[in-house]
Amino acid sequence: MPLTQEDILLFISVLKSISNYDFTEYSIKSFTRRIEKILIDNKLDIEALINKVKKDPVFLEQIVKDITVNTTELFRDPKTWHVIKYRVMPKFEDKPFINIWHCGCSTGQEVYSMMILLNELGMLERSKIYATDINTDVMDVAKAGRYVYRFNIDYLENFDQVIRQNPFNFEEYKDVPYERYFQIDKVKDTISMNPFLLNRVIYKKHDLVKQSNIFDFKFDIIFCRNVLIYFNYELQNKIFGMFHENLNNLGYLVLGIHESILGQQAQKYNKKGLVYSKKII
Amino acid sequence: MRSKYIIIGGSAGSFQAITKILSELPKNYNIPIFLCLHRLKHVRTGFVEALSIKSKLPIIEPKDKEMIKNGRIYLAPANYHMYFELGNYFSLSTEESVNHSRPSIDLSFLSAAQVFKNNLIGIILSGANRDGALGMKEVKDYGGITIAQDPEECQVKTMTTAAIKATTIDHVFIVDEIINYMKNLQ
């Protein structure tokens, strides 16, 4: 039986009353889709699901993790990475420290992509990398830096496009070996990030719905890609305001390639191609 | 009359059909059209341009929360699922692929069916897998019109035959008939 909007709203209000998790401002379509999948995977109906989360806190945590898991990949959307490489990073050439926040880092591919890029640009040593997510399971994957090779094989092409090639100069080709950054084991079916990358990241659990910046400093670059698509317009706007407050002057916000800042907060940012820079107001 | 919406799903062998449909629609065609087409993950760009060559109407890959406007053709962006929300806007999602597909035709059709109900026309074209069959059933169940490209005309007929099996199809049409039907909706 298809879920009704009432079912979903009831489930959200139950979660809110028995836990710290507030999905009130989630985009109802994707939320419903997640719940439908959870019901099928757990062979439950909505009533049974509600009863079970009420009684079983461990199950509740698991359900929240299932709702908040997002897929990502190495150098997702190479065009965005070209903008970061050629338009954004040159602005930080002379800055002694660069603070970077990967907000909603999921399984970490974006974090490693950025570190690889920073290292190629000679900027990794002076960069501080912070990564947060509401879902500690996906962050554990990020911390381990180990991925299934066959799911990621397609994305090595992205590495080539961003790290080896120059889209503005087809004659330029840097033969950067993958082994500099990760080891591929086809027998074990793994891609494992090299230890010098693993140790550079500070991971923290963070709930973007409820919490502002949990670090006591501001950032030069905030990544928040394909996270806000799960939130409604009002919550998106609140978060764009929070990011603005927590960006340094000349700081950049990087969103997913099909996300944009709509409404009032848009005037706080300059849209520069695929990224946004902080407007000083 | 309430405004209509058209959603078209296609995969292998649908590119020619789509370009033909787009080339024959007049400049003032004002029913929004949503295209949900499978394409290669790493071919992110160039698809809009390729479709635009023959189209008199603007083709847009919608951004998350973008409003739906008349007279536009919207293409589901590569590597995202495309949903429709009450209030006439899009939302996107990067959740896992369904039937190895992102965008998933089933998910887009289901979402469109729930929101646009009997104002929706669902059209399924040539394709090599079963994505879209469940979506077409949802379109029908929510009171919309279902149209399948005649399997005899499809380069690959798996997708249309799966849809025909899954639900009642109002019209089995060749591409020229689909174009006529769409033109007469205005």
Side-chain angles (χ1 to χ4, degrees):
Chain A
M1 216 185 62
L3 288 170
T4 64
Q5 185 142 336
E6 288 72 37
D7 292 333
I8 295 297
L9 295 176
L10 174 64
F11 182 61
I12 289 173
S13 75
V14 168
L15 281 182
K16 198 178 170 181
S17 66
I18 60 172
S19 75
N20 276 322
Y21 298 110
D22 184 359
F23 293 99
T24 320
E25 293 190 85
Y26 264 58
S27 165
I28 194 124
K29 265 285 148 62
S30 343
F31 189 86
T32 306
R33 156 92 195 125
R34 296 286 171 102
I35 300 305
E36 281 167 351
K37 190 164 185 306
I38 286 165
L39 294 178
I40 293 166
D41 292 347
N42 291 281
K43 298 191 175 70
L44 293 170
D45 62 21
I46 186 75
E47 211 183 300
L49 179 71
I50 290 173
N51 287 331
K52 199 160 177 197
V53 295
K54 279 183 183 165
K55 282 187 206 133
D56 185 346
V58 178
F59 181 72
L60 184 148
E61 287 298 323
Q62 189 50 52
I63 293 302
V64 169
K65 282 169 177 167
D66 289 345
I67 294 169
T68 57
V69 65
N70 283 320
T71 63
T72 177
E73 62 212 37
L74 282 174
F75 294 105
R76 183 183 164 113
D77 300 317
K79 277 192 151 185
T80 297
W81 291 98
H82 288 147
V83 172
I84 295 167
K85 184 176 178 182
Y86 295 103
R87 302 278 176 260
V88 175
M89 294 323 294
K91 309 273 184 204
F92 300 108
E93 205 108 84
D94 301 321
K95 205 165 183 291
F97 293 104
I98 307 165
N99 284 341
I100 299 170
W101 178 12
H102 296 271
C103 181
C105 66
S106 188
T107 41
Q109 284 92 329
E110 174 188 276
V111 182
Y112 291 109
S113 303
M114 187 58 183
M115 285 195 287
I116 291 169
L117 178 60
L118 287 167
N119 195 57
E120 285 302 314
L121 296 173
M123 300 168 100
L124 183 60
E125 287 303 316
R126 55 197 165 93
S127 298
K128 292 215 155 59
I129 320 280
Y130 300 87
T132 61
D133 205 285
I134 190 173
N135 185 329
T136 51
D137 278 8
V138 292
M139 266 199 302
D140 287 341
V141 176
K143 285 176 195 168
R146 196 179 308 112
Y147 304 106
V148 181
Y149 173 65
R150 72 171 177 265
F151 294 153
N152 286 279
I153 190 165
D154 290 346
Y155 309 125
L156 296 178
E157 161 77 6
N158 292 355
F159 179 100
D160 295 355
Q161 281 187 44
V162 177
I163 297 298
R164 292 179 170 172
Q165 299 159 11
N166 178 348
F168 306 109
N169 178 2
F170 291 109
E171 285 177 17
E172 191 182 310
Y173 187 84
K174 269 172 85 182
D175 197 11
V176 179
Y178 296 141
E179 297 73 35
R180 187 178 291 172
Y181 298 106
F182 45 81
Q183 307 303 318
I184 296 172
D185 186 330
K186 290 181 185 171
V187 179
K188 287 186 191 152
D189 196 20
T190 55
I191 294 182
S192 305
M193 294 296 154
N194 288 350
F196 82 100
L197 294 175
L198 302 184
N199 301 333
R200 292 206 66 96
V201 190
I202 292 167
Y203 290 96
K204 286 246 194 289
K205 184 178 176 176
H206 175 254
D207 181 352
L208 192 50
V209 176
K210 295 197 153 173
Q211 292 174 293
S212 178
N213 181 2
I214 49 170
F215 305 98
D216 51 7
F217 44 80
K218 295 186 177 188
F219 293 91
D220 298 300
I221 305 173
I222 297 176
F223 284 86
C224 189
R225 296 162 75 210
N226 301 317
V227 176
L228 303 184
I229 51 179
Y230 300 105
F231 301 160
N232 71 20
Y233 174 80
E234 288 74 24
L235 181 56
Q236 285 188 354
N237 260 278
K238 193 181 113 191
I239 294 167
F240 290 135
M242 186 272 280
F243 285 156
H244 186 270
E245 285 167 23
N246 291 291
L247 275 171
N248 286 325
N249 291 342
L250 306 173
Y252 284 84
L253 173 63
V254 184
L255 301 175
I257 202 159
H258 287 283
E259 294 178 283
S260 55
I261 304 177
L262 301 167
Q264 243 191 340
Q265 296 295 331
Q267 43 186 292
K268 293 187 179 174
Y269 295 88
N270 292 309
K271 185 164 170 37
K272 301 212 163 158
L274 295 170
V275 299
Y276 290 83
S277 70
K278 174 174 173 153
K279 210 185 263 183
I280 300 155
I281 41 176
Chain B
M1 195 183 83
R2 296 192 58 187
S3 51
K4 298 275 179 202
Y5 300 85
I6 297 170
I7 187 163
I8 302 177
S11 187
S14 67
F15 187 77
Q16 275 181 325
I18 290 280
T19 44
K20 186 162 189 200
I21 292 168
L22 298 186
S23 69
E24 303 230 356
L25 293 175
K27 216 176 161 178
N28 63 354
Y29 197 77
N30 65 10
I31 300 172
I33 299 172
F34 313 115
L35 303 177
C36 192
L37 308 172
H38 294 161
R39 38 185 173 154
L40 295 171
K41 252 184 227 141
H42 51 274
V43 184
R44 299 287 167 78
T45 49
F47 203 59
V48 169
E49 289 77 1
L51 288 174
S52 297
I53 293 170
K54 296 260 179 99
S55 174
K56 299 178 192 76
L57 295 152
I59 300 175
I60 294 158
E61 289 183 294
K63 301 238 174 186
D64 180 57
K65 309 290 183 282
E66 184 171 328
M67 296 297 297
I68 298 166
K69 292 187 176 147
N70 287 343
R72 297 202 176 163
I73 295 167
Y74 294 98
L75 174 68
N79 227 352
Y80 286 87
H81 296 301
M82 180 171 75
Y83 295 127
F84 308 88
E85 304 265 356
L86 290 169
N88 225 35
Y89 61 92
F90 294 97
S91 64
L92 302 176
S93 141
T94 61
E95 73 203 74
E96 61 197 41
S97 301
V98 179
N99 302 324
H100 308 288
S101 301
R102 192 170 63 191
S104 148
I105 300 173
D106 278 338
L107 286 190
S108 273
F109 273 53
L110 165 62
S111 171
Q114 288 171 342
V115 171
F116 305 124
K117 300 190 171 71
N118 59 353
N119 295 307
L120 181 68
I121 295 102
I123 303 176
I124 198 91
L125 303 173
S126 174
N129 66 16
R130 287 158 193 283
D131 192 16
L134 282 174
M136 287 287 273
K137 184 177 185 314
E138 300 289 347
V139 172
K140 189 72 214 165
D141 292 352
Y142 278 92
I145 304 280
T146 49
I147 299 174
Q149 186 183 3
D150 190 337
E152 294 308 311
E153 193 199 45
C154 291
Q155 283 182 27
V156 189
K157 57 183 162 193
T158 317
M159 212 142 110
T160 44
T161 45
I164 291 166
K165 254 185 223 162
T167 185
T168 311
I169 300 294
D170 295 302
H171 308 285
V172 176
F173 279 160
I174 59 171
V175 170
D176 286 332
E177 291 169 323
I178 293 174
I179 293 165
N180 279 335
Y181 183 92
M182 287 173 71
K183 283 182 178 169
N184 287 332
L185 282 172
Q186 288 222 100

